[in-house]
Amino acid sequence: MNVWNIEEIPQLLKLARRYAKSYVAGEKDVRIAVLGSYSIQHFVSVLRFLLHEEGIDANIYEGEYDGILMDVLNDDSDLYEFKPSMVILLPSIKDIKEFPVLGSDADAVEQLADKQVQLYQGIWSKLETSLGCQILQANFVLPIERALGNLESNYEYSRSYYYKRINAKLEQKRGGNVTIMDMDYWAGVVGKINWFDNSSYYLSKTGFRMDYIGVAAEVFVKQILALTGKVKKCLVLDLDNTLWGGVVGDDGCMGIQLDPNNAIGESYRAFQQYVLQLKERGVILAVCSKNEEDIAKEPFEKNDKMILKLDDISCFIANWEDKAGNIRTIASKLNIGVDSLVFFDDNPAEREIVKKFVPEVLVVDVPEDPADYVQALSLCMPFEWGQLTGEDFKRTQSYLQNSKRQELESSFVNYDEYLQALDMVGSVDEIDEYSKERFAQLINKSNQFNLRTIRYTEASIEQMMQEENTKLLAVSLKDKFSDYGIISCIILRKDGEECFADTWVMSCRVLKRGVEEFAFSHVCDAARSMGCSKLVGEYIPTAKNRMVKDFYPGLGFEEIAENKYGYDLTKEYNKKIWIKEIN
Amino acid sequence: MNVKETLTEVFQDVFDDDELELFDEMTAEDVEDWTSLTHIQLIVAVEKKFGVKFTTVEVMKLKNVGEFIALIEKKLA
């Protein structure tokens, strides 16, 4: 289903309605509340259907028309009874009823905008304290009409200026649990003349033209996927006619088209520039090309018109094998799930093969014209994440250093010697204001090394930080090649003599480095300091976390029930640990 | 073009019911899924199918399917 193709929307609405009729709420369904200032029935039905298509069954609470405040402020409302884990707030520009008086000074405009935004801050904090939920807050879509014409952007008391200030303040004041959804941007992408349907608004209070219901819902679907841990982490790129014009095997590393003074060359360079921006925000880059490896690498090394360098690519695969198999190799080399890959290749036949044989991969519908590559990649919204942290900006650097690390590894016969040569230092700390965002991100993004796969919002993490019987531990690691920051998170709960490991997750980038043992010795200390004599862990199997099936037995735990393990804390843990304490 | 036949197809498509037959006195009461929102969906579908455009007041004044057919015929004339 291509949500951008308005010809397909009637079909989408029909499928959504059919699905709504057959939907039976299940206990494990994600609970989402949608509250809006305009008619939201269609939005809810399309949202539920598109989520289902992505493998998420959603039980959706549909607020009354224009009922945001009614639901939120009333403690006895159906909303609180429903107990959603996510709330979508869809305000309308028509909610804003108070405006700066013409001629007011900047301060007065700011104050009025503050007042408007305080209303939303109040809603957020009420939802957070009562529900501890994630909030997806749409911003205001600026209308087409402007009473002051071009001067709207020249006087602070104009309505457009005022609306923009409100939108900016929503961004500034958002708490850790609030994601601002820039609907003004999406309306702009569609074109506001298309976005608004005036007659339908007056007749039935629709917020936007029915043609764009798919786009509007998709924006939220992507964010909900991110918040439930389904994120794409890596962009897999073809080379010939994808990163440059022409075929390097035929044209040579200097003959390929990358000329900044040529329309086609400039297009490919613009695409590389955008890909580089993605890398800088933490997307891992991989190459998957049908080529001789040394020839494929030549442009990266020798052609100074290339914007991407070999160092930017964390995994480089060039051979004559089929791409479906190569894509699986990339995922396993990078230690990430196949479903976290995005595939970009100009060749439709290759795309079909990948779609067919590795359906978990998001395959971008690459347009024929390289001038449109950047736009196509951006509009398919491939890398919507829950949050960005310092660790993301460092990430690709550490994936890259991995290859240097692998060189080092192959120079040792003995793995212990190798671990020692890495000069690893680490620390295990209780989390604070600065680390809690990364803590939330890791808990919500980790799928493979995740013992129980229980997700927590930032608000519930904050709450746990206050609890006396709970400890939240963050493990950081550095070695001679890179600084990883926080790569493992553990939540311990004291229950009498027992200490229960509620959560234990780790980034797969640091597998087989002794982080587990290092963390475990600290977990034992922490549990003892809480006055416990026994440590209890549990493994809840999912489709993805088989790798930690025997995690607890491996550490010396004994099985006490199916998938439940106990460890006697009076025992000293005396396995060799290769990570030195930072202090 | 037989407006009633074509309109029947649009109704059947929008309300996802191949059995649906139109009659002049038919209103939203007679079709389970005919709500104020599917009404907009219906109007949009009819506009696209017949290549016409309705004003807000024309949509508001529609009392039943018979009037709808008459309005489309008037627009096409």
Side-chain angles (χ1 to χ4, degrees), chain A residues 238-465:
Chain A
D238 172 49
L239 296 178
D240 294 327
N241 291 314
T242 296
L243 283 192
W244 53 67
V247 176
V248 65
D250 299 337
D251 306 329
C253 74
M254 302 312 280
I256 52 176
Q257 181 53 268
L258 279 170
D259 182 356
N261 298 310
N262 172 290
I264 300 300
E266 213 187 336
S267 305
Y268 286 107
R269 283 169 56 88
F271 182 61
Q272 289 199 21
Q273 246 139 12
Y274 180 63
V275 169
L276 186 63
Q277 279 187 55
L278 292 176
K279 183 220 145 191
E280 282 162 356
R281 61 159 278 192
V283 172
I284 307 161
L285 302 184
V287 160
C288 180
S289 164
K290 283 195 169 151
N291 258 311
E292 294 298 334
E293 186 173 337
D294 48 341
I295 292 174
K297 282 184 173 168
E298 256 185 346
F300 290 89
E301 291 161 336
K302 296 182 184 155
N303 189 326
D304 64 354
K305 300 283 191 298
M306 283 286 292
I307 288 155
L308 293 170
K309 306 294 176 201
L310 216 43
D311 276 0
D312 296 319
I313 312 295
S314 298
C315 183
F316 198 109
I317 294 206
N319 57 32
W320 300 99
E321 324 252 314
D322 78 283
K323 289 207 174 183
N326 279 339
I327 276 187
R328 292 191 184 278
T329 309
I330 289 173
S332 80
K333 280 202 171 188
L334 293 170
N335 255 327
I336 55 180
V338 176
D339 60 357
S340 59
L341 302 182
V342 176
F343 182 59
F344 195 102
D345 191 320
D346 70 295
N347 185 338
E350 300 288 7
R351 298 203 297 269
E352 278 316 304
I353 286 173
V354 172
K355 273 187 202 167
K356 183 152 184 239
F357 293 103
V358 209
E360 308 94 312
V361 173
L362 171 62
V363 177
V364 181
D365 278 321
V366 178
E368 209 183 317
D369 189 342
D372 292 326
Y373 282 4
V374 172
Q375 189 176 306
L377 180 55
S378 181
L379 287 185
C380 92
M381 310 177 222
F383 300 107
E384 298 299 350
W385 293 359
Q387 57 269 96
L388 289 175
T389 63
E391 273 76 2
D392 295 318
F393 311 139
K394 282 189 258 180
R395 170 171 313 114
T396 46
Q397 184 203 336
S398 77
Y399 272 101
L400 175 75
Q401 302 298 348
N402 251 335
S403 50
K404 295 192 180 146
R405 214 171 280 120
Q406 274 156 11
E407 271 170 42
L408 180 72
E409 183 179 347
S410 55
S411 70
F412 287 97
V413 191
N414 181 318
Y415 197 72
D416 285 353
E417 276 176 39
Y418 159 69
L419 288 179
Q420 192 163 19
L422 279 173
D423 289 338
M424 293 185 287
V425 290
S427 67
V428 179
D429 309 289
E430 289 198 44
I431 64 165
D432 56 24
E433 278 304 297
Y434 302 101
S435 51
K436 65 169 196 236
E437 194 171 20
R438 168 63 181 163
F439 195 84
Q441 184 191 42
L442 201 56
I443 283 183
N444 290 303
K445 262 172 77 172
S446 302
N447 294 310
Q448 301 182 88
F449 197 112
N450 193 338
L451 271 304
R452 297 179 73 237
T453 320
I454 310 270
R455 312 292 190 188
Y456 290 109
T457 66
E458 232 176 283
S460 29
I461 286 165
E462 266 171 38
Q463 222 162 44
M464 286 189 272
M465 286 165 75

Side-chain angles (χ1 to χ4, degrees), chain A residues 96-101 104-122 124 140 156-173:
Chain A
I96 301 176
K97 300 200 169 75
E98 217 180 333
F99 297 97
V101 174
S104 343
D105 61 22
D107 282 350
V109 177
E110 286 301 294
Q111 275 174 25
L112 204 57
D114 280 333
K115 201 174 123 191
Q116 185 70 41
V117 172
Q118 272 156 18
L119 174 74
Y120 282 93
Q121 289 175 271
W124 300 338
F140 292 96
E156 284 146 332
Y157 48 74
S158 75
R159 290 196 178 190
S160 347
Y161 182 86
Y162 179 57
Y163 293 140
K164 286 184 215 161
R165 288 304 298 148
I166 291 173
N167 276 349
K169 280 175 194 289
L170 286 175
E171 292 173 19
Q172 284 164 1
K173 308 279 171 152

